[in-house]
Amino acid sequence: MLHLRMITPPDRTHAVLRLIEESVGTTHLVVLTGAALVPAGDVVTCDVAREAGDELLHALRELGIDEDGSITVEDIDLTLSKSADRAEEEAPGEGVDAVLWEQLSDATHEESTLTITYTAFMIVAMLIAACGVVLDNAILIVGAMAVGPEFGPLAGVCTGLVRRAPKPAARSLLALLVGFAVGMAATTLFSLVMDALGLFEQSMLEQPRPNTSFIWQPDPFSFVVALLAGVVGVLSLTSAKSGALVGVAISVTTVPAAANAAVALSYGDVDQTWGSAEQLLVNLGAIVLAGTLTLYAQKLLWRTRRGRLRRTPPAKA
């Protein structure tokens, strides 16, 4: 269940109440007339089944409540209520399958904005990966994958494409490109410093590396795994199962491929640089493709159920 708290202009409170009463999956409706001070208005709260939440939020925004008042949405961990049970039963589908597009856009906006923290995570992840590829240490590679923040911008690109929102998509793409560019530049410099200190050697990069050679040798499985990871990553965001994102992060070699390319570049190894860049592009492209198609599929699925999200008025006697 979701808990909605709204500040509504007094002249639209009646329309909001009628909308909530006509929507399936709603319950626990409360109205506090004149309770809001900034912005001034009435406070309306209700609970709604997650599977009916997106349609209700869309209708509330059409009434301009977000512009002249406010809409706050919270997840409810536990509700002990027969009324809530009935609301969830009458709402079509399952809550775990529902997509709250506004929530998804907000989440990807936060994760895909180019910030100092995001850039720092990207740099540190690539430095860890650089140590991993030179030492042929799979544990360091997995750690770098888990630290890398690149899935946020990737999800932002997918969301922007599906919602036909060019500005969020462009913002996410900028964060992705700048993050990788800065991270690779820092890793190249890091490799040169480590070489000067005698901690990195070109022979360590050129020798057989059975644990990490896949990073710069893309094959069809690289594309397949990235596709599957893109599907799971988007599903984990839309269903609020964020734990699955860890599995997504350690399934694709985006950050390690970029780090290997940077280290190889510092030694002038064109073959490894190009192979790593190809691996990186394959993974990024496959994730965006799979994520976009997954969101489109979810959008089409719930569009077919929209007609069931209104209560049928009782027949007149």
Side-chain angles (χ1 to χ4, degrees), residues 168-250:
R171 183 189 62 246
S172 300
L173 186 60
L174 176 66
L176 197 66
L177 295 177
V178 173
F180 272 103
V182 172
M184 292 177 71
T187 304
T188 301
L189 179 61
F190 175 73
S191 177
L192 294 173
V193 171
M194 293 291 279
D195 182 78
L197 294 175
L199 298 175
F200 281 8
E201 295 179 4
Q202 185 170 359
S203 60
M204 299 171 71
L205 188 71
E206 303 295 342
Q207 68 185 2
R209 290 183 286 144
N211 294 321
T212 58
S213 60
F214 67 93
I215 291 173
W216 62 279
Q217 295 175 338
D219 57 27
F221 281 104
S222 301
F223 183 76
V224 172
V225 171
L227 276 178
L228 298 176
V231 172
V232 174
V234 167
L235 288 177
S236 69
L237 286 177
T238 57
S239 64
K241 292 185 178 295
S242 58
L245 282 176
V246 177
V248 173
I250 61 177

Side-chain angles (χ1 to χ4, degrees), residues 23-307:
S23 299
V24 301
T26 57
T27 187
H28 303 156
L29 179 59
V30 177
V31 182
L32 302 175
T33 304
L37 299 180
V38 181
D42 304 325
V43 174
V44 178
T45 68
C46 72
D47 294 342
V48 58
R50 182 182 176 87
E51 52 269 40
D54 187 68
E55 181 73 10
L56 181 57
L57 288 173
H58 179 73
L60 289 169
R61 295 196 67 181
E62 286 188 334
L63 290 175
I65 304 304
D66 57 320
E67 296 179 359
D68 301 319
S70 73
I71 304 172
T72 302
V73 183
E74 299 174 334
D75 285 305
I76 301 176
D77 294 327
L78 175 65
T79 298
L80 302 178
S81 166
K82 289 290 185 182
S83 178
D85 293 341
R86 287 193 297 269
E88 288 190 314
E89 289 175 1
E90 71 178 9
E94 298 294 333
V96 71
D97 296 329
V99 180
L100 294 178
W101 292 99
E102 298 299 334
Q103 186 180 60
L104 178 62
S105 296
D106 184 69
T108 54
H109 178 275
E110 182 179 349
E111 296 291 333
S112 62
T113 301
L114 184 61
T115 62
I116 295 176
T117 301
Y118 165 81
T119 306
F121 268 104
M122 187 67 82
I123 292 174
V124 172
M126 286 195 195
L127 298 185
I128 295 173
C131 295
V133 297
V134 171
L135 298 175
D136 194 33
N137 189 315
I139 294 177
L140 291 177
I141 295 299
V142 172
M145 291 176 176
V147 172
E150 74 278 9
F151 190 79
L154 288 169
V157 171
C158 298
T159 304
L161 291 175
V162 174
R163 302 204 72 183
R164 298 180 182 178
K167 287 185 178 180
R171 183 189 62 246
S172 300
L173 186 60
L174 176 66
L176 197 66
L177 295 177
V178 173
F180 272 103
V182 172
M184 292 177 71
T187 304
T188 301
L189 179 61
F190 175 73
S191 177
L192 294 173
V193 171
M194 293 291 279
D195 182 78
L197 294 175
L199 298 175
F200 281 8
E201 295 179 4
Q202 185 170 359
S203 60
M204 299 171 71
L205 188 71
E206 303 295 342
Q207 68 185 2
R209 290 183 286 144
N211 294 321
T212 58
S213 60
F214 67 93
I215 291 173
W216 62 279
Q217 295 175 338
D219 57 27
F221 281 104
S222 301
F223 183 76
V224 172
V225 171
L227 276 178
L228 298 176
V231 172
V232 174
V234 167
L235 288 177
S236 69
L237 286 177
T238 57
S239 64
K241 292 185 178 295
S242 58
L245 282 176
V246 177
V248 173
I250 61 177
S251 298
V252 291
T253 56
T254 48
V255 165
N260 196 83
V263 174
L265 181 64
S266 70
Y267 287 118
D269 188 328
V270 177
D271 289 339
Q272 283 205 42
T273 300
W274 176 249
S276 301
E278 186 178 354
Q279 177 78 275
L280 175 62
L281 293 175
V282 166
N283 279 270
L284 293 178
I287 291 174
V288 171
L289 175 62
T292 302
L293 292 178
T294 301
L295 286 176
Y296 266 121
Q298 291 180 296
K299 187 176 183 179
L300 291 174
L301 174 65
W302 281 94
R303 183 176 293 174
T304 60
R305 298 179 176 179
R306 230 172 232 183

